[in-house]
Amino acid sequence: MLRTFVLRLSLIICLFPYTGNSLAVEILFSRYSVSDGLASNFVNCVWQDPRGLIWVGTDNGLQRFDGSKFTSFYQNSNQQKLPALAVHQILRDARSTMWIRMGSRIGTFNTFNYTFKEVKVVSQKPIPPRAEYYLRRDFKGNLLLTVLKVGIFTYNESKRIFEENKNVLYVPADLGINHAFEDRTTGNYWLSTDKGLALYNFKDKKIYNHTNPGWNKAFSKQPGLYKNVTHLHIDKQRRYWIVSWAGGTPKTYCYDEQKGRFTTDTAGLNSDNGYFEIRDFKESQNILWAYGLHFLKIFGQHEKGFYTFYNDKSTYGIKFNSINHIFEDREKNVWIASDNGLYAAKVIFDEAKHGIIKKWHNEDAITSVLQTSDSHLLLSTSGRDIEPLKTSGRDIMPAPAYRDVIYKNQPKGDKAFHMVCDMQEHTQSKTLWLTCHNGRLIKHNLVSRTSQFLNPAAFNNKNVRQVAEDKSGNLWFGTQSGGLIRLAAADIGTNKFQGVLNFKVGISKLYVDKQNRLWVATEGKGLYEVSTKDYKVKKALTADKAPGYSLSDNSIKDIIQYNDSIFYVAAGNLDILNIKNGKVEQLTLYDGLPFTSVSSLQLDSSGDLWLSTIGGLCTYDFKRRFFRLYDQKDGLITTTSADNLLQTSARLQDNQLLFAGGNNYVLFDPDQIKDKKRPDKVTITDFKLFNNNLPVDSILKLDKFTLNSNQNSITIEFATLNYNRRNKLKYYYKLEGADNNWVESDGPIAANYAYLPPGDYTFQVKSVNSQGLESMEVTSLPIRIKPAFWQTWWFLLLVSSAIAGIIYFGYRLRLNQLMEVQKIRERVARDLHDDMGSTLSTINILSEMAKVKVKSDTVSAGDYISKISDNSIRMMEAMDDIVWSIKPSNDSIQKITARMREFAAGILEPKNIDYSFVLDEKVKELTLDMEARRDLFLIFKEAINNLAKYSGASTADIQFYQKDNKLILQIEDNGKGFDPNQAEQGNGLLNMKKRSDRLKAKFTIKSEMGLGTEICLELPLT
C-alpha cells in the first residue's frame, strides 16, 4: 500500500522560513513496498533509462517501474537470461547500454530481448572472494570498476573485460583503495584509501598524497586524512566533504576550496547517536544529502551544517536502517533506496507551505481563517482562541503579540472568548469581529488596537457559528440554534443587533454573493436564499425536492458563486446549483469526484474550484467537467486523519489559497501547483499478446510490428512517465483501422483488443491534464496483422477464379445441354423430314395413282395400294426408331441389344437364316448416350438388312463384347460375299461409314467372293 510521508522541518522552520540563501524547504515522500508490487523492501539502487522508466535493484532481483506497476524480468528461459541474484547497481555507459552489478557479477542487460551478457574481471592478482565492488562511469566516458582493497579496473570494449589500464587510472593494491571521485573541473581522481587521501593526476598518470612535496598544506595539517579515508565528495560550491575512520569512528571534514581552508560546516555529520556510517553524498536542486547506515541528513545554509529533517517515529515518517542509494530523476524527484522500501521525494520550495499549530486540548481544531488588511493571517480555534501569523511576501512568521493585543483586557474567567468559531473584518470601520461560544463576540478596532468583549442579548447565549458582511456593510451572524442576526452598518458603533429569522437548526455557513444575496447553509434543513433588504426567505433548497432539483443532503458545509447563475454547494457531494432554472446537478464518485464529504470551497484566480474532501484537496473545472486530485506528489499533503482534515479556507489578497483543519494548515499558490505544462509524450510500457509480455523496447524499434493471423488479441499498456502527475492525467487511445473515435482509458491504463481481423493498424495514445493541455505529441505504434493463407489476395483470387470457372463450366455445360437438345430437335426434324417426308410424299403419289387406276385398272391399283402399305410400315418403323432412340431408359446396352435381337429376328427368321446373338456379360452395364445409341443401332440395322437382302447366307453370327476398353460389334455370315473394292458404294455403306465416324469408331468390312462377309465396329469407351 502506498504510504505518504510529510517531512516538515519542525514548527520553527515552518513558521520561521529563512531568507537569503536559505532553502526553507519541505520534503514530501511517497513510499513503495512489496504491497505495491516491489520485489523486496530491501532496495539497493535506482536508475532511470532514456525513455524515463525507473529501474530498481533489490535483494530479490531487477524490476522496472512505470509509475503504476513494477515489472520483473525472470520469465526468460534462454541461456542468456538474467541471473536470479540481488541487484546492487544499475547504470549506463556512454553508448546508453544498461549495466548491472550483482555482487561480483557484472554485465550488460539488453532491454530489447531481456538477455544478460556477463563481463569478466581480469586481475593479475587474485581477488578475495568477499571483496566489495563498485561500478561507475567517469565524465570521460570510461567505465570504472573499483574492487575495494584491490584496485580500479577499466572496461576494455574490444575484449569485453575489465582490466587494469595505466593509461586511464591505475591504483596500486598496497594503497587499499576504498573510493574514487573524479573532479570534473580538473579531470583528476581523488582516491580514498587505507593510506589516506590521494590524488591521481590524469595528465602525468601519477599519484600524490601527504608524503609528496607540494601537497595541499591544509590537507597536510589534518592527520585524520593520513589513513583510513573512505569517501570524498566535491559539491557544486567546491567544498570537499571527506569521511575518515582514522580514529576508529567516522569523522567528516569540509574543505572550502574558495576559502582555502577547512570549515566548521560539518556540524551534524560528526554528532549523531549510536553507530552510523556515511557512505555517499548526493546533490539535488541545490540540496546536499548525506546518507548511509543509520544516517540521512541534508545540509542547511542557515544552520551551516547538516540536520535531521524527518521524524522516524511518525506514522508517516521515513523508517530505515540503511540508505543504500539516492538518485535524482529528470523531473528532479529524489528516489531513495532503503532497506525499508523505495521512497520518492518531492522537494517543495515556495509553491506551498504546510504548518502546524500546537494543541492545548484535544478539541483545539482550526475553525476559520482570515487575512486582515494589516497583512496578518488569523487561524481561529475551538479551544485556544486564535493563532496569528505575519505574512511578508512568501514568508510566514508567528505573531503572538498580535493575539495579545486583541485579548488585552479580556474578562477574567470567561473561557467562551477563547472558543472562536468565525472571524470577519468589517471593511468600513476597520473592526475585526470574532464570533465565540455562548453568544460572545470580540470586536477589535484595527486602528486604535482596542477590543470590546460583548455578550449581546440578541444571541441568547448561543454559540455564534458564522459572520459575514454584505455589500452594504451590514454584518450578519448565524448561531448554533439557527438564529440569524443582523447588525446594520449604521449601528456598527452602537452594537445594536437585530434578530431577523430563526431556522431552528444550526447555521453552518453564511455567504453573500455578487448580487448581495445572503445564502444561509444549515446543518439539517438545506440551503436558503435570504434578501438582505427585507430579510425574507426567497428560496429554499433541500434534499427532498424532485429529482434534478434536490440537493445531495440537507447538511450543507459551504457555498460559493461561480457566475451569475451557477453556484457550487458542499452537500456531502459537490452539487452544482443553477438559480435561473432551479436545477441541481449532483456530482458524486460516479462522476469523478475523488472523495466524498466535501467541506470547504474556494475559487482561484482562473475560476477553477478547489474543494477539500476527506481525502485531501482537489480541483474541478466546470467547462471541462474534470476533477483533479492533489497529493504529496504535487506538494500538498493528503488528508490522513482528523489532525489534517481541511474544513475551512480563504483566498488571500495575492490569490494564494489557505486551507486549514485539525491543527494543520497549508498555504499555496494555485498557479504553481496546477498543471501549467503540457504533459510529456505518452510511453508504451508493455505489449501483451494473449496476456504474455513481449519485449516492448524491441517492438518500438520496428517500423511496423507484424503479427500472424492467429496473434490477434493484444493488450497495450502506456503511461506518461511523469511520476508526480502520472495518475492525475486522462488518457485517450485509438486504434486506427478499428476505432472511429478516441477512447478514454477508464480504470487500468491499457487498451485491449481481442480477435482483430487481418489488416494494417496504427495504435495512437495521448494524455490530457487538468487544464485541458494535451501531451506534446501523439504516440503511435504501427501494427500489421497478417492474413491467413485463405485470407490472402492470391488465395481469394484463386477461389474467385475457381468459382468463376465453375460458374463458366456450369454455363458451358448448360449451353452444351441446350445445344445437344437443339441438335436432337434438328436431327429429329431432319429424320422426320427425310424419312417421314419422303415416305409420305411417295404414299401421296401412289394414292393419287391408285385413285386414277382404281376403276380402269384394278390390278395396277392393287399394286399401288400394296406399295402404300409397305411405305406405311417403313414409316412406322422409322418413327419407332426415332422414338426409341430419344427415350432415356433405352441408354443401357441391354436395351440396345434387346432391340437389336428383336430386329434381327424379324428380318432373318423370315429369310430362314439361322443366326446366333452372343452378348458379353461385361457390356451389360454399359450405357451410351442417345446419339451413340441411335448411330450404333442404325449401323446394326443397315448391316442386318444388307445381310438379309444380298448375302444369300444360311447362317449368321452376331457378337457384342468388350476388349481393350472398346465395345466391339461383330457380324459374320456364310453368304456369297463380295469384293469390297469392286462393290458400288451405295447409301447404306456410306451411311454406315458416316455414322461410325460420328462415333469415332473403327468400321471395317471383310469379304471375299464365296467366303461370306464380316463386318466389325470398334467403339472406344472413353
Side-chain angles (χ1 to χ4, degrees), residues 359-523:
K359 280 187 176 183
W360 289 357
H361 310 92
N362 289 333
E363 65 273 13
D364 291 349
I366 298 173
T367 56
S368 67
V369 294
L370 174 70
Q371 184 181 31
T372 65
S373 58
D374 55 359
S375 301
H376 282 83
L377 288 178
L378 304 183
L379 287 77
S380 67
T381 72
S382 57
R384 51 158 300 188
D385 51 69
I386 62 172
E387 186 76 35
L389 305 173
K390 177 67 175 177
T391 59
S392 177
R394 296 290 183 179
D395 295 332
I396 303 175
M397 295 163 287
Y402 197 87
R403 179 259 175 206
D404 295 339
V405 171
I406 294 175
Y407 277 86
K408 186 178 180 180
N409 301 320
Q410 62 177 308
K412 293 182 179 180
D414 195 340
K415 296 181 179 180
F417 287 109
H418 296 279
M419 300 178 182
V420 182
C421 297
D422 198 10
M423 300 175 289
Q424 177 70 45
E425 180 180 340
H426 187 256
T427 308
Q428 296 176 359
S429 64
K430 294 294 181 184
T431 53
L432 182 64
W433 292 82
L434 280 65
T435 68
C436 307
H437 282 209
N438 300 336
R440 277 30 173 199
L441 299 174
I442 300 175
K443 176 184 177 183
H444 178 72
N445 191 302
L446 294 174
V447 178
S448 64
R449 296 169 63 83
T450 58
S451 299
Q452 296 180 47
F453 295 85
L454 308 175
N455 186 11
F459 292 95
N460 197 25
N461 291 326
K462 302 300 182 182
N463 296 346
V464 187
R465 293 282 305 275
Q466 285 287 303
V467 57
E469 180 184 359
D470 65 23
K471 306 300 181 183
S472 302
N474 306 309
L475 287 178
W476 297 83
F477 299 85
T479 70
Q480 181 67 30
S481 61
L484 180 64
I485 299 164
R486 177 178 179 269
L487 178 60
D491 297 328
I492 293 294
T494 60
N495 302 327
K496 186 178 179 181
F497 296 90
Q498 177 189 5
V500 295
L501 287 171
N502 193 334
F503 295 94
K504 297 182 180 182
V505 69
I507 293 176
S508 54
K509 182 71 176 180
L510 293 177
Y511 176 74
V512 179
D513 65 20
K514 297 174 183 178
Q515 287 73 32
N516 204 31
R517 293 172 295 219
L518 177 65
W519 294 87
V520 180
T522 71
E523 291 185 330

Side-chain angles (χ1 to χ4, degrees), residues 254-274:
C254 178
Y255 174 75
D256 191 322
E257 183 179 86
Q258 296 178 355
K259 297 178 181 178
R261 60 182 176 82
F262 282 86
T263 70
T264 59
D265 288 346
T266 57
L269 292 180
N270 296 322
S271 58
D272 211 36
N273 297 325

Side-chain angles (χ1 to χ4, degrees), residues 659-697:
F659 279 81
N663 66 332
N664 284 254
Y665 69 87
V666 56
L667 176 66
F668 60 93
D669 183 347
D671 287 337
Q672 292 192 45
I673 295 291
K674 289 196 298 187
D675 305 318
K676 293 294 185 180
K677 293 175 58 179
R678 293 168 67 92
D680 294 336
K681 181 180 178 181
V682 180
T683 299
I684 295 175
T685 58
D686 278 299
F687 193 104
K688 293 181 180 179
L689 183 63
F690 290 104
N691 211 33
N692 295 317
N693 283 310
L694 301 181
V696 68
D697 286 359

Side-chain angles (χ1 to χ4, degrees), residues 118-120 122 154-165:
E118 188 169 357
V119 176
K120 299 296 184 182
V122 177
T154 305
Y155 177 60
N156 187 321
E157 186 175 5
S158 60
K159 297 180 181 179
R160 282 192 60 80
I161 61 171
F162 283 97
E163 62 182 4
E164 292 179 318
N165 188 335

Side-chain angles (χ1 to χ4, degrees), residues 568-619:
Y568 294 113
V569 181
N573 297 315
L574 178 64
D575 291 353
I576 300 179
L577 167 65
N578 189 322
I579 62 171
K580 288 187 176 180
N581 56 26
K583 291 186 177 180
V584 178
E585 181 182 7
Q586 300 178 7
L587 300 182
T588 68
L589 297 173
Y590 294 100
D591 304 295
L593 180 67
F595 293 95
T596 58
S597 299
V598 179
S599 56
S600 187
L601 308 172
Q602 283 297 328
L603 289 171
D604 63 22
S605 58
S606 302
D608 289 335
L609 177 69
W610 289 79
L611 53 155
S612 59
T613 70
I614 57 170
L617 293 173
C618 67
T619 58

Side-chain angles (χ1 to χ4, degrees), residues 17-36:
Y18 301 110
T19 58
N21 295 327
S22 66
L23 292 174
V25 297
E26 293 182 61
I27 302 176
L28 308 182
F29 275 88
S30 301
R31 178 176 178 258
Y32 300 93
S33 68
V34 290
S35 300
D36 305 296

Side-chain angles (χ1 to χ4, degrees), residues 721-736:
L721 299 179
N722 180 311
Y723 295 93
N724 287 336
R725 298 177 179 178
R726 175 187 176 277
N727 58 343
K728 316 297 173 59
L729 302 171
K730 284 184 177 288
Y731 291 87
Y732 298 87
Y733 64 85
K734 178 171 64 173
L735 186 64
E736 288 189 347

